[in-house]
Every structure is written in structure tokens, then in C-alpha cells.
Amino acid sequence: MADRVEVPPVDEMVDGRGGVRPHWRPLLGMLGGMGEGVLGERARRLDRAFEDEGIAGVLPGTKREAAWRCDPLPLVLPAAEFAALEAGIAQRARLLDAVLQDFYGPQALVAEGLVPPELVHANPAFLRACRSEGRAAAAPQLHLYAVDLLRGPDGAWRVLADRTTAPAGPGLARENRRMLARIMPEAFRGAPVRSMRPFFDLWQDALQRLAPPERPDPAVALLTRGTHHPRWVEDMLLSRELSCALVECGDLTVRAGVLYLKTLQGLQRVDVLLSRIEGATLDPLDCAEAGTSGVPGLLDAARHGAVRLLNAPGAALAEAPALAAFLPAVAERLLGAALLLPSVETLWLGAAAARARLAEEPGWLVRDANDGASPAPIPLDAWANAIAAEQRPSAFAATRLPTPSVAPCVVGEALEPRPLTLRMFALFDGDAWRVMPGGLARIGEPASLGGALPSQGLSKDVWVLAEEGADIIGPAALQLPPLPIRRQPGALPSRVADNLFWLGRYTERLERAARLVRATHARISRGVVLPREAAEVAALIRCLAQAGFTDAEDVGASSAAQALPGIIAAELRDGGALPGLADRIAALTAMVRDRLTADMHATFTLTLRAARAEMRDAGGSLEAISRAMIPVLRFATAVAGVAAESMVRGGAWLFLDLGRRIERAQAIAAEVGFALDQPPARIEGGLRLILELCDSVITYRSRYLTILQPAPALDLVLADESNPRALAFQLAAIGHHLDEVAGQEDASLPAEAAMLRAEAEAMVAAVIAASDQAAAAAALPARLEAMSGRIAALSDAVTRRYFALLPATQTLGLEGAEPAMRGAA
């Protein structure tokens, strides 16, 4: 076996004579004027920008924290080089689409011996439910195509892998460009960089054109794996770029052969579904691999033309690594032309001649023949063991990778050359394949880059330079009928409404805990509880226990000054009540990221991170703990302000605010009850505590000066609808929101909110009418406890009515018009 000669890599920026390539000179000229250390500082700013705007996690340490990073130096491609890549990528996309049509149709390529049957019938990605016997499969099979490219030492680009099922990366490429333009705007001034925007405009228009012709106002949805998946952030970004609904499998149902989105307004038809999940998991009725996931009946609806599914569910078949060994001959057969963009050297080890080459020649990497998502090559000794264990050699392919080109990357304050792989994207717009003028350059060794796009890594923006004097031509405008004016809420999936509802509740719960901690600190900070404050401290202990400070239940008022600081400090550490609430809020914020603007999301995340950092650093000092509550209150205020000023009064705002109002109403009823649960002679301390916890001290003083009496105090915190901290205000808002959601079809929930409000007014009226107001106030805790329970029951009723999605009903005999259903379906 001869040794393989190592060939030095091509440097993307520097030519073989040590000079800078012409298309890099404008960028390097700009960098030369930035000054020492500026580039490293821009790299750090870029990392922070990605973290602040949702590519990373909401809180430090969350799952997506170390996601994609973008190097501040782009990869620059001259116009002529991109034109050659564009032609090769478009040709390859046409070829793979034709291959898929044949594999899922007559299978002439197999019959003629151009492709071995093992790469089709034995491939797990071959979905038999998608085959059209005896005829070509419906065209096109591909809508979006991605290709991973390597530049070898000879300067030529070669294909490392084809991506035909839910190709990842276009959203990340768009985000890289947006962030880089914001952090380093001067870099774009001297270079004619082509915009990516026309590509996404074409994509959006193409999705509209793919809808059934009888649907003049088609509904397009992007199917995502869910917020738990590393690709979810990109799916969210793509749904925004393409102006389509972001849905999960649980949001969809098939009725009478038609695909619907389950929303609070009922079932809404979906005409085009851009799937970002594997075809084998789409439909449990047709694909055993789907198990209980997927959308039952989806493939049948697609087969009958009720919905257009993109890419075709069986498109993963074209990703088989071994297929690259046969594409040159297949291209001659189907296209009558040689490949413009060849693959890296590949062998299918089902052939004896290929196995002989593997044994004789160095430099081969063995991998699964069918699984294009598997990144790790198989060591040669493992390959030999597999053969010894009688595993078929046809299950493996061998690839020989050239030494990849290198590009400069910012490492600290210096530039270092690193190997790269280029991912580019193409779109079929109904007439031709259009290639994105840009892409995603990934940094790393190519052996680790051949599989599916990982959840983290270092990337580069890809600049395609425009030719001198070239015109920018966007897509032609679609001829659509005028849209009717709509002011009702848009389609809001029940899952999203549920997440918004609990985001509101947990935010309010965190604010309540912060107010309780501050009120407790004010009374025990001296190290001893004064006799006149003992009743207030006892009430606060009950409030803290209800708020999740479980160890506070056994603390007496006399020992509170000594016991409570340690208990509160413990609940601020990781795993405690307050960090737990912050983590839940972070998770819910991520889940509703597609419903928040960039500014809203930044407000949520930055203020929450500041609050979480203060909790972590508070230690055991009472003073530090009290200070740590200030950013918590700022976070809650920021959420309330941004919701009030930046959210349309529709479904999303409505359920966010409904959650806040229900949580606050329940807390007010409980806290007022605890504060009043004492002898009438000591009721004044309870009233002071009530006004403080309801943030109504200043309002009370402005109305009544320094005189504190039960009736005026309780009227302010229980019955005054003009006070946003009053119980009546919450109940009025709850009733209004439920009336907006239910309309005239279900008046039971708004009626219950109205009865609760009447009960709050009746309690205050009873105190006003009593000859002994203190005694009347002291008699209210039982009624307030009952009210708190009724508010909790109302919350449960809202959950059952709008969020608890039930199994899909039988559709036998359901024909004709779309079913009109409200609420969960």
C-alpha cells in the first residue's frame, strides 16, 4: 500500500504567490484601518448579539447557550466563481429531483443497472407509501436543496454531501448576514455584496404559488420539531422570513382528507406545509418509524392534492452517501450531460472492485452507505470487524476527502487559517432552480462536517460579490385579489395560547415572591421583630409558604428574624423557588419566541438574565437579598410595559394578560385573607401590610392622608376597578378577556368572573355597613379563601376549555364544508 502524499490546502484569501486575492482586497483595506484589537472586540460583540437575540439560550446554562457563533470575517466569493457554482448546484438539484422521481416511480435506473437496488430498497429512507407504481412520481420531489462543498488543493469545488430533506442552514445564513451588517456595517461599504433578501422573497412567492388553484388566499405553515430541538430557533427565523405560521405536529389534524391547524378560533385549513422534520416521522399511519408522533393522515392528504408537502416525504433517499459513486453515469442518462459539480471521490463497497481499492489505496474513510446524516467515519478496523460479523459490505461506502481550503478566522486578537466547508442553498420556484447568493461556511475538519448540521459550531457569512454594473432583479409581484380588512386576532394555536398564559402566570408569581421578600426584609432586618409587627410577620410567613418557600411553614413570628434569612437565601440558590420560576419563564419565553419581536425578546431576556444573576450573587445577607429583588421587579415591570405598548390587543396579548390577571387575583385574595386573619384589635397592622403588598400605599395616603381604616383600605385593594393592583381590576380584566375569547357562544366563564367581582364588592360593602369595621374585616378571611379557590377553579376551567387538546375525533362521514369548531380540537 503506497503512502498518500499530503498536498497543502488552498488559502481562500492568499494566492499561491503570497499575494491577496483581488476580491478580498476591499475587505482587508477596511480591516487595516480599524486599529489594533478592534476585530477581536467586534467578534465578542457579535457573540453577545447572538446571545441577546435568541440564537443562544434565554438564561446562561440553558440548552441553546453555546449555539452557532459567527466569525466577523466572511468568506468572499467573486461573481464569476459564484456563477459557476450556481450552474453546478442548479444542475445537481435537477438531477437529484429526477432521480427521486424515478426511485418513487418506474425505477428504471435500478432496472438498467445504473444504481444498485440495495441503495433503494434496503435504504431506511425509502418510503414505500410514497411510491407511484409504474409511473414517474409527481414532480417536483424537491423544493429546497442544500449542498456541502469542499475546495480541494487544485482549487476546484467538490460536493461533500447532498441535503434533500429539511436542509438546515438558510435561516442561520440570513441571521449571520443581519448580525454582521449590524456589528460591522463599515465592512459592507466598500464591497458590492449581493443581498439575500430577493432569495427569500422568491421563496415566499413560490410557496404561495404551490397552493391548490382553487385557494386564492392560501395558508402556508412551517412544520417544526418543537422548541426542544436545536433547530427550532432557525425554524422560527425562517417562518418570519417567509411570513408563514410556525406549527408543531400536535397543532395539526386531518379531517376528511384535508389538513387543518387547530386554533382558538376553530380549525383553519393549511394549503402548503413546509416540513422541517424527517419524512419517516410525518405520519404514523403510513410510516411505522413515526410511532405515535406525526400527523395521522398527512401523507394521504398530500397524495390526493389537498395539501402540498415540501420537500416530498421520501426525499431523504437522495442523501445516501453511496449514491455519489453512481451520479456521473446517472447524469449522462437523465440529463445527457456531465456533472458540472462532481462529488468527492466515493466508492460503494458492495462492489468487489471498490473493496479492492479500499485495501490497496490509502486515505479512504468508511461510512454508512445510506445514512447521510451520520457524521462520523467508521475506522477501517471497525469496517473489517463488520465484514467478519457477516454484515453486508453493501451497507458501507468509502470516501476520500481532499485537503480542504482554509480561510482566516478571528482567534483572540489574531487571524488564524482554519479549514472550512461551504453549504449553499437552491430553491425551485416552479420554473427553475434559484441559488441563494450567499450561504453558510462552517469551520472545522471535513471528516466531521459530512453529516447533518450540528447544533453548534463556528460559521462565517458568505459574500457573493456583484458584477460591475449588474442590476438587482427581484421576483415579479404575484397577482392576488385584494385582501379584506381584518381586525380580529390571527390564528393562535392552543399550544401557543397555553404557553403565553403560563408565561403571564409565572411572571406574576415571580413578582409576587419578590414583593414578599422585600416586605419581610423590612420587618426582620433589625434582627428582632417588634411586637406591633408580629402579626404582619406571621401573615408574611403564611404568604411565603404559599409562594413556594416551603421551609417557612414551621417558623414562628418570634423566631422569624433568625430563621427567615437562611430560608429565603436557600430559595435564591440554584434549585430554589425563585430560580425555578426564572427557569420556567425562560423556557416559556423560548417557546413563544415566534410571537415576540426582536425588541420584545431582548427586553424579556436581558432583564431576566440580570434578575437571575442578582439572585445567584446575593449570598446570605438580608440586605443583598433585598437588593436582588429590585431587578426581579424591573423584569416584571418590563414585561408588563412591553406587553402594553408593543402587543396588538389580540390572541397573544390576551392570553399573556389573562395569565397575569388570574395569578394576581388569586394572590391578592390569599394575601388579604392572611393579613386580616387576626383579632380585630390588631387589624391595623394587617391593613398596612395589604397596602404595601398591593403597592397602594401612596394612593391611599393621597386619598385619606394618614388615617388608616378598614373600609377605605379594603375598598382600594378589593373593589376599586381603577386600581391596577386591586382584586376588582383583575376580575374585570379576566371577564373582558374571556368574553373576547368566547364571544356569544360560551358565556359561562365571563359570568363566573362577573360573580367573583360582585363578591369582592359585597365584602367591601359589608365592612362599610358594619358598626365595627375592624370586626367585619376580621371576619373576611374565610370568604377570601373561598374566593381564591374559585379563581383557581376558573383557571382550571380556562385550561380545559382552551388548552387541553383532545384526541382527534372520528371523521367518518364528514364531508363538505370545513368543520366550524371553537377551542381545543
Side-chain angles (χ1 to χ4, degrees):
M1 180 182 294
D3 292 335
R4 189 182 181 196
V5 178
E6 289 293 334
V7 181
V10 168
D11 192 308
E12 294 288 343
M13 184 176 69
V14 180
D15 61 26
R17 297 180 298 274
V20 175
R21 300 184 190 275
H23 53 281
W24 280 84
R25 289 171 187 166
L27 177 62
L28 291 184
M30 181 279 301
L31 295 177
M34 290 181 66
E36 185 177 354
V38 175
L39 194 57
E41 189 271 337
R42 295 295 178 91
R44 292 186 289 273
R45 283 178 54 189
L46 201 54
D47 288 345
R48 286 196 301 271
F50 272 96
E51 182 181 340
D52 291 345
E53 300 203 12
I55 299 301
V58 178
L59 287 177
T62 53
K63 205 170 180 183
R64 282 187 287 270
E65 182 187 5
W68 278 99
R69 295 178 53 240
C70 180
D71 190 78
L73 282 184
L75 174 67
V76 185
L77 297 177
E81 185 173 23
F82 174 74
L85 285 172
E86 186 176 30
I89 292 170
Q91 183 206 47
R92 199 170 179 98
R94 289 196 304 272
L95 174 62
L96 292 177
D97 186 77
V99 166
L100 287 169
Q101 290 184 51
D102 178 78
F103 285 171
Y104 285 103
Q107 296 188 347
L109 296 175
V110 174
E112 296 172 15
L114 292 173
V115 177
E118 291 92 335
L119 295 186
V120 180
H121 303 130
N123 193 327
F126 180 60
L127 303 184
R128 286 164 177 79
C130 298
R131 190 181 176 199
S132 305
E133 295 284 350
R135 58 185 174 84
Q141 291 285 293
L142 296 182
H143 170 72
L144 180 68
Y145 164 69
V147 59
D148 289 331
L149 301 165
L150 278 178
R151 192 201 295 272
D154 60 355
W157 290 100
R158 292 177 177 82
V159 174
L160 176 64
D162 297 293
R163 299 291 165 213
T164 55
T165 177
L172 296 176
R174 184 79 177 94
E175 192 71 357
N176 280 354
R177 176 66 56 84
R178 186 176 73 87
M179 289 292 192
L180 194 61
R182 199 180 80 188
I183 301 301
M184 289 184 60
E186 62 270 38
F188 291 81
R189 293 171 190 154
V193 183
R194 289 182 58 180
S195 171
M196 295 181 185
R197 181 69 257 172
F199 178 84
F200 288 93
D201 291 341
L202 278 168
W203 195 353
Q204 184 177 345
D205 290 350
L207 291 172
Q208 296 287 326
R209 291 190 179 98
L210 287 169
E214 68 273 12
R215 300 282 294 173
D217 185 14
V220 181
L222 187 149
L223 180 61
T224 178
R225 300 169 181 87
T227 56
H228 63 281
H229 197 274
R231 293 272 80 81
W232 182 83
V233 172
E234 185 193 6
D235 293 344
M236 179 273 299
L237 295 171
L238 272 182
S239 70
R240 289 191 167 185
E241 288 290 335
L242 302 177
S243 299
C244 57
L246 183 64
V247 301
E248 298 180 19
C249 288
D251 300 330
L252 301 173
T253 185
V254 176
R255 306 289 174 90
V258 177
L259 182 66
Y260 294 98
L261 173 64
K262 296 180 285 192
T263 77
L264 296 173
Q265 290 75 34
L267 298 182
Q268 298 193 6
R269 182 169 177 174
V270 176
D271 303 293
V272 179
L273 188 65
L274 180 62
S275 174
R276 305 289 292 169
I277 70 177
E278 296 76 12
T281 63
L282 279 174
D283 187 343
L285 299 184
D286 277 306
C287 307
E289 187 179 330
T292 58
S293 64
V295 183
L298 176 59
L299 295 191
D300 183 67
R303 278 193 295 268
H304 289 86
V307 62
R308 188 65 183 273
L309 191 55
L310 309 170
N311 284 341
L317 188 58
E319 292 188 356
L323 185 61
F326 306 96
L327 285 183
V330 170
E332 293 287 353
R333 164 69 172 78
L334 295 179
L335 303 181
L339 280 176
L340 299 176
L341 200 58
S343 302
V344 294
E345 196 171 3
T346 303
L347 302 175
W348 175 59
L349 298 181
R355 294 196 295 274
R357 286 190 62 187
L358 178 67
E360 296 171 0
E361 300 175 8
W364 294 98
L365 299 173
V366 179
R367 61 182 307 187
D368 191 296
N370 293 317
D371 186 6
S374 174
I378 302 168
L380 288 180
D381 55 350
W383 146 258
N385 293 336
I387 298 302
E390 299 183 356
Q391 189 168 356
R392 294 172 303 180
S394 60
F396 297 93
T399 301
R400 186 152 59 185
L401 301 179
T403 303
S405 61
V406 295
C409 295
V410 178
V411 179
E413 304 296 335
L415 297 181
E416 293 184 8
R418 297 288 176 86
L420 66 84
T421 299
L422 173 61
R423 176 168 289 195
M424 300 192 76
F425 307 92
L427 162 75
F428 186 68
D429 66 358
D431 297 318
W433 283 94
R434 314 289 184 181
V435 179
M436 177 194 289
L440 190 71
R442 293 187 287 155
I443 304 303
E445 293 299 330
S448 65
L449 298 175
L453 195 69
S455 60
Q456 58 186 21
L458 178 62
S459 64
K460 282 179 173 287
D461 186 18
V462 178
W463 287 8
V464 173
L465 301 184
E467 292 182 344
E468 191 71 27
D471 294 327
I472 298 176
I473 301 175
L478 280 175
Q479 297 299 317
L480 297 174
L483 293 174
I485 301 300
R486 296 174 182 167
R487 290 186 179 173
Q488 70 269 29
L492 186 68
S494 299
R495 167 187 55 83
V496 178
D498 188 14
N499 291 334
L500 287 162
F501 176 79
W502 281 101
L503 176 60
R505 291 204 66 168
Y506 284 132
T507 299
E508 194 65 30
R509 198 170 293 181
L510 183 63
E511 179 185 0
R512 178 201 182 194
R515 291 187 182 279
L516 290 173
V517 169
R518 294 190 72 192
T520 303
H521 166 259
R523 288 159 176 80
I524 65 174
S525 58
R526 292 180 296 271
V528 62
V529 177
L530 298 178
R532 68 183 184 87
E533 294 178 339
E536 300 173 36
V537 171
L540 282 169
I541 290 172
R542 295 176 66 184
C543 292
L544 287 168
Q546 190 196 49
F549 295 74
T550 53
D551 291 338
E553 296 174 353
D554 301 325
V555 177
S558 60
S559 61
Q562 290 73 40
L564 283 180
I567 292 172
I568 294 173
E571 296 297 346
L572 262 66
R573 300 189 192 106
D574 288 343
L578 270 70
L581 285 173
D583 292 343
R584 292 189 190 100
I585 292 169
L588 289 166
T589 301
M591 291 178 187
V592 299
R593 176 69 177 88
D594 59 312
R595 301 284 164 170
L596 306 175
T597 66
D599 289 341
M600 291 172 63
H601 184 261
T603 300
F604 275 56
T605 55
L606 295 179
T607 53
L608 185 59
R609 283 179 189 149
R612 188 70 165 81
E614 286 287 345
M615 292 182 209
R616 185 176 56 249
D617 299 338
S621 161
L622 264 180
E623 182 63 31
I625 290 172
S626 181
R627 281 200 310 271
M629 297 302 100
I630 296 174
V632 173
L633 296 175
R634 285 176 184 158
F635 162 72
T637 303
V639 170
V642 80
E645 297 298 326
S646 300
M647 298 183 76
V648 174
R649 298 304 187 260
W653 170 83
L654 190 150
F655 278 95
L656 177 66
D657 198 63
L658 179 61
R660 293 179 61 232
R661 300 305 165 195
I662 286 179
E663 185 68 29
R664 186 177 292 182
Q666 196 172 356
I668 292 171
E671 289 168 1
V672 174
F674 292 150
L676 296 180
D677 189 13
Q678 52 191 297
R682 301 179 184 173
I683 206 73
E684 184 175 339
L687 297 176
R688 281 197 303 270
L689 179 61
I690 290 168
L691 292 175
E692 181 179 346
L693 294 178
C694 293
D695 200 16
S696 300
V697 174
I698 294 176
T699 303
Y700 187 90
R701 286 176 180 170
S702 68
R703 291 182 182 180
Y704 306 106
L705 301 179
T706 59
I707 301 172
L708 183 58
Q709 293 182 357
L714 293 177
D715 175 73
L716 179 59
V717 299
L718 292 182
D720 189 345
E721 292 187 20
S722 68
N723 180 9
R725 293 284 172 179
L727 180 59
F729 183 97
Q730 319 311 317
L731 296 172
I734 292 168
H736 178 267
H737 294 341
L738 292 175
D739 190 59
E740 284 287 316
V741 175
Q744 298 179 349
E745 297 183 17
D746 185 0
S748 61
L749 296 181
E752 173 64 11
M755 287 189 287
L756 286 170
R757 188 175 62 185
E759 170 66 6
E761 294 171 349
M763 284 189 278
V764 174
V767 175
I768 294 173
S771 58
D772 186 347
Q773 290 189 359
L780 293 181
R783 295 175 69 178
L784 287 164
E785 183 179 4
M787 173 170 279
S788 180
R790 288 176 64 185
I791 295 170
L794 178 62
S795 175
D796 293 340
V798 169
T799 297
R800 288 192 301 271
R801 177 68 177 84
Y802 297 108
F803 310 144
L805 299 181
L806 305 176
T809 58
Q810 292 286 342
T811 59
L812 295 176
L814 180 61
E815 297 180 358
E818 301 172 7
M821 302 180 66
R822 294 187 63 83

